[in-house]
């Protein structure tokens, strides 16, 4: 008999050789139908693998990533089987599970092309095969055996992969007529795969190298229930509708130019206004909270980044150093603001009384990303960090964390993203030598972070071993309106940079001491944050953030003069307003401007011009009645105050 | 007899062979003593050169640059003569006149070193020689003769220069025992050089190349009267006192870091605040005047700059292109914002009704400067332009110029630099083919600029032939408190960029038309402008610009709590305030903070804490009496409103 320990700590005895699936069945037949993978002694494995010794066991239901991963990975194999039956001789690259669904890179061969039109046939074949309840059978194979198998089949991509594997580590999975080189884990059978949808097709170079052959990448998703697929497709449609790239274009917020370069956003007037609204709001808040703001160039000498250690990370595989006509001079586009901030810290002497020194900058940094990885504003090559560095004494780490967590809570509330959790990353105590900084300081900082998070009532997960080598950290995960999670703010303790830049302050003992440096960002990147904001609000920004607060719609040209007067009054009252004086029917003007998500539509005609009023419509909500222009200005000011004061 | 035409158009007859000096003497012996050079038929020449045919003549008095140039160039020769007598065997590089004074690069040889300690001896020798009334005698020499002369003397720098000259163009000037290779013009004699001062000594590589020998550069200045030298030295002392590099350090406005790189300013908190105050003020003004603001990355693809034509100018001799791991991708640090703005213009279609489109950005650009040419904030490698581009119809050029001139007048008044003139640069009508754009558009634009300047009452000089090839322009010259002139704002019409980027708008005829582009900057570069501002105000900024408006000085630690309360109140009232709670006597605190040029010093003690007041002191002016804290806030707000509203 072997002892199985469950996540709740309970222990049960089972016969040796029992599988996770059998254990699940013994607990309840219903449970057995809901689990898709298991973690046995910290290894994620097939449900059918026998357990031969005492072990810890976690059974994975759909909610666990491990379950979905096995489900979708098995679905990729199922799609491959269907493709092989429909396109005999088709060759296979790789076919992994991804965050949502799976894909397979294939080479249809014979001049054949697979397009979305072929999806229904492939889906039907997959459904047919799945309902046959085929088992996924694993077997280990020697390198020679595996190579022979795929050489015989003519699958050159697989043989290339096998040639790079170590003998003794190779396994094959077979279901029905299809065998794949694969590490697994997989479902016991195709039976749970009830709902199937292929999503898109794209070109993808073999191994991501543009010198290789272009394969066909087919994306799909599957679920154990049709309802789940239906919901997912609605979610997908909603996500598409909210896609920040689409809304950014519709609302003329930002654009990209081939000549300027991929991944380098150009902020159009309305986008620049939105971005500036965020910066201005944050600036006021920062100043009230004792920050000083600095401004530094976007390049720095290579020696600066050698001192900071960034050259090692960004020097070769990123934007390459910039040379000048003067010999021996090399600059880099700055990948981070911290080295510049350290140089400012070092420009003047500091006393312990001045600390903490909270130095902030909206600093634009440049990081090279492969062109294939660029995506709208979420993955770019230039982005502006709402960056700050707290230079403090070791005994101030806790109060600085409290201050930053409080700031993050305030800001996230103002931008209506207040559903968030945090992860605290600590060092691995068993390998203390991997980390820099004294044991005493680490103890102090880790304790400070945990206590600070506790005192601020933050929902946290504490993960040992996840700290950077230079210090522990706390990251915020924000959930958006579609339930998607985004990693935004981060707070990181750093014992490394102060050493590298030889930062010091004069202590009360009149001796030089080393300050602690805390890196923190709230939005992280303004570009990425604005993408999240657009997708979260579907472009209907909170009033305080909206680039235009109102648009004036004269019913006819007769009222253009009155419209111009109101425009001036509102713009002078700091209420950014536009005018739509096109020669169009008022109904069309309302519809067009509703689509632009401008919060307030101000309709003016005979009556309004006569008594100095505007007829107010709230975007998406309809008529709010008529008001004096001054009343409207006050009304807007109050709404903004409500949104930003709490 | 020959006819001489004077600047006032009058014509007189003189014998052929008469010199400018003799003509001056005939007009009045006093005038002859006041002129130092002459322009004969558009060539600046020695006063003693015979005139052998009809000519136009302008005699140059001290006020003319040509006069000072001849005076100081002759003074450089005088210094060289003195040096050769004091340091026999000394070798000479070049010795030109500069904007203020002259220098000579010399190689003292024999391990000799010339320092400031040797200046009195050199000055004395110069005075002795000058009072000898030595004539400057010019003679032409063949290349061979000149080479032999300096080879015999062992003057290898001169022989190197001669080797590069064309035979038949070489002239020598001799005064006393000293002969120099020189084009002139020079004074008739050393007699007018009455006041002499050597200013400094520095190292300078021969021909500016660091691979060459380091020569000794001796700077000096001379005047025809001692009083003028005395005034100049006072001016120099005042300029030194106001030097923005010195004040920038004292007030902790900006710093440079060797590791970040030369010429790349780091804005410290107070400097960043000052800079942001300028940007914020300008932003409000721009929005009221119908500008939209955009934000673009600091790099662009090389192809963008090939399209714009900037690659040709900045591609090789500046910061070199940035490569990436992806092949064939090259970026440049942006030398100008206009290409990015053209791409934003091109991102959406435009109708004639939308024009003018005024697109502004505080855009940081990067231009390589030789390290030897860098100087504080006035000559840097990265600077932020208050840049804007007006895209307009050809018939709108005049109204756009009026709008921009009006804006410039408003802004210069707000920064208290309202002593300025303007230069209008037109094309040379005799070489119309050198300019791009239609004849009609040039006529229209040149007329528009002249009329606009006239209507705005601008004091202008109109200079034909000085326009850029792409359009006419108007530049502003501002005079500072020391009477020095700075070129700040500029407005330039551009017919080239719209062609290169194929910019179009839909006209009322529903056809595509080419817009005119007007580049304009008011400060030019924020960095350089802040340098001018610092030197003009000696660091005593107008209240609205001052980074800190007030500092609270508690008389003793007992009042720190009350001080903290006031600090909060003022900062929350948008009055940036600091506190000086050092444990020092109040007299010392006042002295220290007066030096920091913080406009208001708020002293608090028993009485103030008791009745909620502050005792107000204006920096540099003294006591202003006691006020309630709220009254003080209002007082400050009113002063700022007075400064910025007119």
């Amino acid at each position: 008999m072997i002892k199985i320990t469950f996540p709740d700590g309970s222990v049960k005895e089972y016969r040796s050789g029992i599988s996770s699936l059998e254990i699940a069945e013994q607990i309840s037949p219903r449970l057995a139908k809901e689990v898709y993978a298991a973690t046995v002694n910290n290894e994620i494995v097939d449900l059918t693998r026998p357990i031969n010794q005492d072990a810890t066991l976690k059974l994975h239901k759909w909610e666990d990533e491990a379950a979905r991963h096995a489900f979708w990975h098995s679905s990729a194999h199922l799609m491959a089987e269907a493709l092989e039956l429909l396109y005999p001789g088709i060759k296979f690259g790789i076919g992994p599970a991804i965050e949502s669904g799976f894909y397979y890179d294939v080479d249809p061969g014979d001049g054949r092309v697979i397009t979305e039109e072929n999806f229904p046939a492939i889906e039907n074949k997959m459904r047919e095969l799945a309902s046959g309840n085929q088992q996924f059978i694993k077997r280990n194979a020697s390198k020679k055996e595996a190579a022979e198998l795929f050489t015989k089949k003519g699958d050159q991509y697989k043989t290339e992969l096998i040639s790079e594997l170590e003998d003794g580590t190779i396994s094959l999975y077979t279901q029905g007529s299809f065998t794949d080189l694969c590490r697994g884990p997989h479902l016991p059978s195709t039976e749970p795969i009830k709902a199937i949808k292929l999503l898109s097709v794209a070109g993808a170079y073999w191994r991501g190298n543009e010198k290789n052959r272009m394969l066909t990448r087919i994306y799909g998703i599957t679920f154990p229930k049709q309802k789940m697929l239906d919901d997912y497709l609605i979610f997908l449609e909603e996500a598409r509708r909210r896609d920040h790239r689409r809304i950014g274009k519709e609302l003329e917020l930002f654009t990209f130019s081939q000549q300027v370069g991929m991944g380098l956003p150009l902020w159009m007037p309305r986008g620049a206004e939105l971005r500036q609204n965020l910066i201005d709001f944050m600036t006021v808040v920062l100043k009230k909270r004792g920050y000083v703001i600095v401004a530094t160039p976007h390049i720095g000498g290579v020696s600066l980044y050698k001192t900071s250690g960034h050259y090692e990370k960004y020097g070769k595989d990123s934007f390459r150093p910039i040379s000048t006509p003067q010999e021996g001079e090399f600059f880099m586009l700055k990948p981070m603001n911290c080295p510049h901030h350290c140089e400012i810290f070092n420009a003047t002497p500091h006393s312990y009384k001045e600390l903490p020194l909270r130095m902030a900058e909206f600093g634009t940094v440049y990081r090279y990303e492969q062109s294939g990885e660029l995506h709208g504003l979420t993955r770019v090559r230039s982005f502006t960090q709402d960056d700050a560095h707290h230079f403090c004494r070791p005994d101030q780490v806790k109060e600085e964390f409290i201050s930053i967590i409080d700031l993050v809570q305030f800001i996230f509330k103002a931008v209506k993203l207040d559903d968030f959790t945090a992860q605290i990353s600590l060092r691995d105590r068993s390998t203390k030598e991997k980390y820099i900084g004294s044991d005493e300081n680490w103890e102090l900082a880790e304790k400070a972070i945990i206590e600070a998070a506790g005192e601020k009532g933050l929902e946290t997960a504490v993960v040992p071993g996840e700290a950077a080598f230079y210090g522990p950290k706390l990251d915020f995960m924000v959930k958006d309106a579609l339930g998607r999670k985004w990693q935004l703010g981060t707070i990181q303790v750093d014992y490394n940079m102060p050493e590298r830049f030889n930062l010091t302050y004069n202590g009360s003992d009149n001796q030089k001491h080393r300050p602690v440096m805390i890196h923190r960002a709230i939005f992280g990147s303004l570009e990425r944050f604005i993408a999240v904001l657009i997708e979260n609000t579907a472009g209907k920004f909170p009033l305080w953030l909206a680039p235009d607060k109102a648009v004036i719609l004269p019913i006819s040209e007769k009222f253009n003069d009155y419209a111009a007067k109101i425009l001036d009054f509102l713009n002078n009252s700091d209420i950014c307003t536009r005018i739509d004086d096109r020669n169009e029917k008022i109904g069309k003007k309302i519809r067009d401007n509703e689509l632009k998500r401008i919060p307030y539509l101000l309709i003016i005609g005979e009556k309004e011009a006569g008594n100095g009023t505007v007829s107010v419509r709230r975007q998406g909500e309809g008529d709010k009645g008529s008001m004096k222009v001054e009343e409207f200005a006050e009304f807007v000011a109050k709404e903004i105050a409500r949104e930003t004061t709490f």
Side-chain angles (χ1 to χ4, degrees), chain A:
Chain A
M1 298 295 271
I2 54 168
K3 284 194 179 113
I4 299 295
T5 309
F6 292 91
D8 65 358
S10 65
V11 181
K12 275 196 197 168
E13 294 211 331
Y14 293 95
R15 68 175 166 82
S16 179
I18 195 168
S19 72
S20 309
L21 186 61
E22 287 165 325
I23 292 174
E25 266 160 2
Q26 287 191 19
I27 297 171
S28 105
R30 189 189 160 137
L31 177 65
K33 283 192 178 301
E34 290 175 344
V35 297
Y36 304 110
T39 296
V40 177
N41 284 339
N42 294 320
E43 188 191 355
I44 305 174
V45 298
D46 296 333
L47 281 174
T48 51
R49 183 198 278 195
I51 308 174
N52 297 318
Q53 59 192 64
D54 291 357
T56 57
L57 171 66
K58 183 166 166 45
L59 295 163
H60 293 296
K61 294 165 87 170
W62 184 259
E63 293 69 45
D64 294 350
E65 199 200 328
R68 297 195 300 275
H69 193 276
F71 197 94
W72 286 331
H73 198 177
S74 298
S75 302
H77 282 218
L78 178 65
M79 179 171 76
E81 185 184 359
L83 287 168
E84 198 163 55
L85 290 169
L86 295 170
Y87 302 86
I90 190 170
K91 292 180 185 15
F92 294 97
I94 57 159
I98 55 177
E99 206 190 333
S100 300
F102 57 88
Y103 68 77
Y104 220 119
D105 285 346
V106 299
D107 180 352
D110 276 350
R112 291 179 297 199
V113 174
I114 299 176
T115 71
E116 297 201 6
E117 284 176 22
N118 308 114
F119 284 3
I122 302 168
E123 286 167 1
N124 281 336
K125 180 57 84 182
M126 286 172 75
R127 277 183 210 108
E128 181 195 321
L129 295 168
S131 65
N133 193 9
Q134 302 175 348
Q135 312 296 303
F136 285 89
I137 312 287
K138 176 181 185 177
R139 70 183 174 97
N140 294 321
S142 71
K143 188 164 178 171
K144 184 157 168 276
E145 191 185 346
E148 276 170 10
L149 178 71
F150 287 100
T151 306
K152 199 167 135 202
K153 215 182 141 191
D155 242 342
Q156 77 250 31
Y157 306 104
K158 295 292 180 189
T159 52
E160 184 179 329
L161 293 176
I162 290 164
S163 74
E164 292 165 16
L165 293 175
E166 227 173 284
D167 205 359
T169 65
I170 300 172
S171 61
L172 307 173
Y173 275 84
T174 302
Q175 97 273 15
S177 61
F178 179 76
T179 294
D180 206 347
L181 173 73
C182 185
R183 283 217 179 80
H186 280 284
L187 301 176
S189 78
T190 57
E191 196 265 338
I193 305 174
K194 302 288 192 199
I196 293 169
K197 180 82 185 163
L198 300 194
L199 296 168
S200 62
V201 61
Y205 293 109
W206 167 238
R207 313 199 95 172
N209 185 335
E210 63 192 66
K211 287 182 184 149
N212 290 338
R213 191 178 174 83
M214 170 87 86
L215 303 182
T216 303
R217 177 171 294 179
I218 306 172
Y219 287 94
I221 199 161
T222 53
F223 290 94
K225 286 180 189 155
Q226 184 60 36
K227 172 75 169 65
M228 291 168 81
L229 175 58
D230 294 344
D231 288 349
Y232 179 74
L233 293 177
I234 291 169
F235 160 84
L236 215 57
E237 184 46 39
E238 184 60 23
R240 241 175 236 140
R241 204 178 65 77
R242 289 168 179 254
D243 189 320
H244 74 278
R245 294 169 302 176
R246 176 181 178 156
I247 295 178
K249 201 177 160 107
E250 270 170 37
L251 302 190
E252 297 183 358
L253 299 176
F254 58 89
T255 187
F256 290 93
S257 139
Q258 277 221 312
Q259 292 214 75
V260 171
M262 291 176 291
L264 298 169
L266 299 160
W267 289 99
M268 298 167 82
R270 273 186 270 286
E273 178 83 16
L274 172 67
R275 183 170 172 274
Q276 194 61 45
N277 285 347
L278 275 174
I279 292 176
D280 289 348
F281 174 70
M282 186 80 109
T283 301
V284 170
V285 173
L286 291 183
K287 283 190 183 168
K288 285 201 178 147
R289 287 167 184 252
Y291 283 84
V292 293
I293 297 178
V294 299
T296 65
H298 304 98
I299 59 174
V302 158
S303 82
L304 181 76
Y305 300 107
K306 286 191 173 159
T307 300
S308 71
H310 292 125
Y311 181 72
E312 238 178 290
K313 185 161 178 202
Y314 296 103
K316 287 158 228 151
D317 304 326
S318 190
F319 289 108
R320 300 266 163 77
I322 304 159
S323 64
T324 75
Q326 190 152 329
E327 279 175 41
E329 239 188 359
F330 291 97
F331 295 91
M332 273 172 73
L333 285 172
K334 72 174 167 186
M336 295 235 181
N337 301 302
C338 27
H340 288 75
H341 292 190
C342 287
E343 288 292 279
I344 290 184
F345 184 91
N346 270 343
T348 50
H350 299 277
S351 139
Y352 69 100
K353 284 189 198 170
E354 286 170 52
L355 302 188
L357 173 58
R358 300 168 181 166
M359 193 186 288
E361 177 173 19
F362 295 92
T364 305
V365 296
Y366 292 79
R367 307 215 189 130
Y368 181 77
E369 300 275 354
Q370 299 279 353
S371 54
E373 285 170 13
L374 297 171
H375 181 87
L377 294 179
T378 54
R379 203 76 182 269
V380 287
R381 286 175 170 181
S382 79
F383 56 94
T384 302
Q385 298 180 313
D386 61 324
D387 205 0
H389 297 97
H390 292 224
F391 300 90
C392 67
R393 303 191 305 259
D395 64 292
Q396 291 173 319
V397 171
K398 179 174 167 186
E399 80 186 65
E400 290 313 290
F401 262 79
I402 289 182
S403 133
I404 299 167
I405 295 170
D406 191 75
L407 175 61
V408 170
Q409 288 172 328
F410 177 82
I411 296 286
F412 282 177
K413 192 162 180 182
V415 294
K416 300 191 175 170
L417 278 169
D418 41 12
D419 186 359
F420 58 86
T421 55
Q423 173 177 316
I424 296 175
S425 301
L426 308 180
R427 68 182 165 164
D428 178 350
R429 281 160 172 273
S430 65
T431 56
K432 286 184 179 178
E433 68 287 355
K434 279 192 348 198
Y435 303 89
I436 100 151
S438 75
D439 203 39
E440 185 195 343
N441 278 344
W442 272 86
E443 293 291 337
L444 200 63
E446 295 190 342
K447 186 159 164 279
I449 297 173
I450 293 169
E451 284 179 9
E455 284 177 31
K456 296 305 300 174
L458 209 57
E459 190 189 317
T460 53
V462 175
V463 187
E466 284 286 299
F469 77 93
Y470 51 78
K473 64 177 178 167
L474 188 157
D475 295 311
F476 292 88
M477 296 290 293
V478 175
K479 207 186 254 186
D480 75 6
L482 295 186
R484 294 173 300 184
K485 284 185 175 171
W486 300 86
Q487 204 246 292
L488 291 180
T490 183
I491 321 177
Q492 307 193 1
V493 177
D494 188 345
Y495 298 114
N496 182 33
M497 214 61 84
E499 291 289 334
R500 284 174 169 267
F501 281 91
N502 192 24
L503 309 184
T504 60
Y505 65 90
N506 285 314
S508 55
D509 55 2
N510 218 6
Q511 300 293 306
K512 297 242 178 260
H513 294 266
R514 186 76 75 214
V516 178
M517 194 169 168
I518 301 175
H519 308 253
R520 75 110 188 96
I522 298 172
F523 299 145
S525 135
L526 283 181
E527 285 68 19
R528 187 158 169 279
F529 179 74
I530 288 175
V532 174
L533 200 61
I534 293 172
E535 304 211 346
N536 189 50
T537 61
K540 293 184 187 184
F541 305 110
L543 188 62
W544 71 269
L545 262 177
D548 295 303
K549 314 295 187 211
V551 57
I552 303 167
L553 310 180
I555 281 181
S556 85
E557 287 189 0
K558 272 200 294 182
F559 309 108
N560 281 357
D561 285 352
Y562 178 57
K565 244 178 66 185
I566 304 175
L567 186 75
D568 258 11
F569 174 79
L570 291 178
N571 280 332
N572 279 320
S573 310
D574 262 345
I575 296 172
C576 201
T577 305
R578 307 161 67 176
I579 203 159
D580 179 357
D581 55 6
R582 290 174 305 155
N583 199 1
E584 299 281 0
K585 291 241 167 68
I586 189 71
K588 178 164 169 53
K589 284 196 194 182
I590 292 176
R591 278 194 308 279
D592 289 354
N593 284 286
E594 282 270 333
L595 283 178
K596 288 187 182 151
R597 282 92 148 175
I598 301 173
Y600 286 103
L601 287 73
L602 307 178
I603 297 146
I604 58 170
E606 194 79 43
K607 207 182 80 201
E608 288 80 8
N611 54 21
T613 59
V614 287
S615 198
V616 180
R617 234 183 118 88
R618 182 65 155 113
Q619 196 271 352
E621 294 178 17
D623 192 37
K624 296 280 163 184
S626 142
M627 309 182 196
K628 290 264 176 207
V629 184
E630 297 77 10
E631 272 179 276
F632 173 71
E634 225 171 280
F635 179 80
V636 165
K638 273 190 191 151
E639 183 173 337
I640 290 176
R642 267 200 314 278
E643 285 179 336
T644 53
T645 328
F646 30 82

